[in-house]
Amino acid sequence: MEDDAPVIYGLEFQARALTAQTAETDAIRFLVGTQSLKFDNQIHIIDFDDENNIINKTVLLHQAGEIWHIGASPADKAVLTTCYNKTSDSRVVSCAAVWRMPSDWETGSHESPDDSAHNPQTLELLCHLDDSTHSNAACVLWEPMGDGKRVISLADNHALLWDLQESSTQAMVSSTATLEGKGQLKFTSGKWSPHHNCSQLATANDTAIRGWDLRTMRVWSVRYNHSHDQLVLTASSDSRLILSNMVSISSEPFGHLVDDEELSEGEDNHQEDKSKEPLKDSVVSTYEEHEDSVYAAEWSSADPWLFASLSYDGRLVINRVPRALKYRILL
C-alpha cells in the first residue's frame, strides 16, 4: 500500500511563523503568519480535511507588522500571540502582543474560502507584552497544560514570565531570568515542556541549547554531582528538592565504565539486570520532606550517591540517589 501524497498549500506572501491551534482537539488546524514589508500581513487559519485530503482556509488581517513568531492559547481557540516587527522612530522594533480572533471566525465559511482572502477580518488586540527594560521579543511560549493565563516571552537575553489577567486584556511580569555568558547572547527560540508539572523550559541561542527550571518560586541552589555530572540537584523556595538526570550535559553520556572491584558486594547481581537503552534527560525524583524554603543542597564528598538538603526552618534531610539509577549509571 502506497503512502498518501503530501498536500501542499501556497501563501501569497513569505512566511516563517507556524503553530498548531492547541485548544482545538477535534479538527486538524494550523495557524500561519506572513512576512510582508509592502502589504498588510495575514494570519491563515488552515483546516485539513484528512478524509478528503483537502485544505480549507480562513484569512485574518495582522496589520501590526510582519510576523516572526505565532503561538496559540492552550485554553481558548480564539486567542493567540504574535511576535512582530514594526518601525518606530526610523528603527525596527520587535514587539509581542496577545490577540483575539473575530467572534464569527469559525463560521467564516469554508464553502467559499476566497471570500475571507479578499475581505479578511482584523484581529482584536487584547494587550501588549511590553516591558520598558526588555525589548526585541523573539517568541512567546504559552504554559502547555495551563488555563491560558501564563506565558513566557524571550527578549534578547531575558526570559519574562507574564500573568495574563482580565481575560488576557492585561499582562503583568511576575518573574524574569537572564541568559548569562560571554558575548552578546540572545534567545532565538524556546519550548515550554508539558511534562513535570510544566516546570521546565528549553531555549536556544545561536548554537547552544539550555534547560531551565521554571518553578514559580525562586531556585536557591543548583549542585552538580562531582563524580557523575549528569546528576543535578535544584533547591527552591517551594519547599521541594529536585534530582534531575541531565545526560545531554554529561561528560560521560554513555555511562561510567568500572571494574568489578569498584562494585560493592551485592551489586554484582545487578549486572545481568542492566538496561541496554540509553539514558535520557529526565527528572528522577522530587523530594518533599521539607515544609519551608529549601536554601541549600550539597553532595557528599565521601559518597557520590548521597546528598543533603537544608530548609529555612532548620530541617536537614539526607537522601540517596535511587538504586535503579545508580546501577544504570555504573553498569
Side-chain angles (χ1 to χ4, degrees):
M1 179 181 295
E2 294 184 0
D3 293 332
D4 292 335
V7 178
I8 300 175
Y9 171 77
L11 284 82
E12 182 181 357
F13 305 130
Q14 292 180 325
R16 62 183 295 165
L18 169 69
T19 185
Q21 192 177 43
T22 315
E24 176 57 74
T25 57
D26 295 326
I28 302 173
R29 184 174 296 150
F30 297 92
L31 309 179
V32 182
T34 66
Q35 283 191 324
S36 174
L37 295 174
K38 295 182 179 180
F39 304 98
D40 285 339
N41 282 280
Q42 303 171 341
I43 289 179
H44 289 231
I45 305 172
I46 305 298
D47 281 276
F48 179 58
D49 181 349
D50 59 343
E51 291 186 1
N52 299 305
N53 219 34
I54 59 174
I55 282 177
N56 296 301
K57 69 175 180 181
T58 300
V59 179
L60 303 176
L61 280 182
H62 183 278
Q63 297 173 317
E66 51 178 344
I67 304 170
W68 286 79
H69 183 271
I70 187 170
S73 166
D76 189 335
K77 293 188 290 185
V79 175
L80 65 144
T81 54
T82 61
C83 295
Y84 57 93
N85 284 355
K86 71 174 184 179
T87 303
S88 176
D89 297 329
S90 301
R91 66 188 184 94
V92 176
V93 180
S94 298
C95 306
V98 184
W99 308 86
R100 180 177 292 279
M101 299 178 188
S103 57
D104 59 345
W105 69 271
E106 247 182 323
T107 61
S109 233
H110 297 316
E111 296 177 3
S112 51
D114 288 337
D115 290 346
S116 68
H118 293 144
N119 302 291
Q121 300 186 70
T122 302
L123 293 167
E124 174 192 355
L125 174 65
L126 295 180
C127 67
H128 290 285
L129 298 176
D130 289 339
D131 183 89
S132 58
T133 57
H134 307 108
S135 58
N136 297 322
C139 64
V140 175
L141 314 172
W142 289 87
E143 183 178 20
M145 310 300 290
D147 54 4
K149 294 184 179 180
R150 294 208 307 168
V151 296
I152 289 175
S153 65
L154 302 180
D156 289 332
N157 64 329
H158 302 283
L160 291 80
L161 177 61
W162 299 81
D163 289 331
L164 301 180
Q165 304 167 356
E166 302 297 329
S167 300
S168 298
T169 58
Q170 297 179 13
M172 301 290 293
V173 175
S174 59
S175 64
T176 63
T178 302
L179 177 64
E180 298 178 348
K182 296 181 179 179
Q184 296 181 340
L185 298 179
K186 290 186 177 182
F187 288 116
T188 56
S189 183
K191 189 65 176 179
W192 197 331
S193 172
H195 307 292
H196 310 302
N197 296 320
C198 299
S199 64
Q200 297 180 1
L201 172 73
T203 59
N205 57 287
D206 295 328
T207 58
I209 296 177
R210 182 171 299 196
W212 300 80
D213 188 329
L214 284 182
R215 287 175 291 175
T216 56
M217 303 299 180
R218 183 184 298 270
V219 176
W220 291 106
S221 177
V222 178
R223 291 293 184 270
Y224 289 86
N225 186 292
H226 52 80
S227 297
H228 308 283
D229 55 5
Q230 71 264 42
L231 298 178
V232 182
L233 294 170
T234 54
S236 74
S237 55
D238 62 357
S239 306
R240 296 190 303 169
L241 179 74
I242 290 182
L243 171 63
S244 300
N245 185 26
M246 306 301 293
V247 181
S248 61
I249 62 172
S250 174
S251 58
E252 299 175 341
F254 300 105
H256 177 56
L257 300 179
V258 299
D259 297 326
D260 292 340
E261 298 90 287
E262 291 185 62
L263 300 177
S264 61
E265 292 184 10
E267 293 183 356
D268 296 333
N269 297 331
H270 292 273
Q271 295 247 20
E272 298 177 358
D273 298 330
K274 63 182 180 180
S275 172
K276 299 298 183 182
E277 296 181 2
L279 293 171
K280 298 179 180 179
D281 289 355
S282 62
V283 171
V284 177
S285 295
T286 300
Y287 301 92
E288 300 181 341
E289 294 91 352
H290 293 284
E291 297 179 358
D292 206 339
S293 297
V294 185
Y295 278 97
E298 292 291 344
W299 291 97
S300 166
S301 58
D303 184 345
W305 309 108
L306 186 144
F307 53 91
S309 55
L310 177 67
S311 54
Y312 188 66
D313 58 3
R315 179 176 296 182
L316 177 74
V317 179
I318 296 176
N319 277 295
R320 294 181 180 273
V321 174
R323 190 169 299 173
L325 176 61
K326 171 183 176 181
Y327 293 142
R328 289 198 67 185
I329 293 175
L330 286 176
L331 305 179

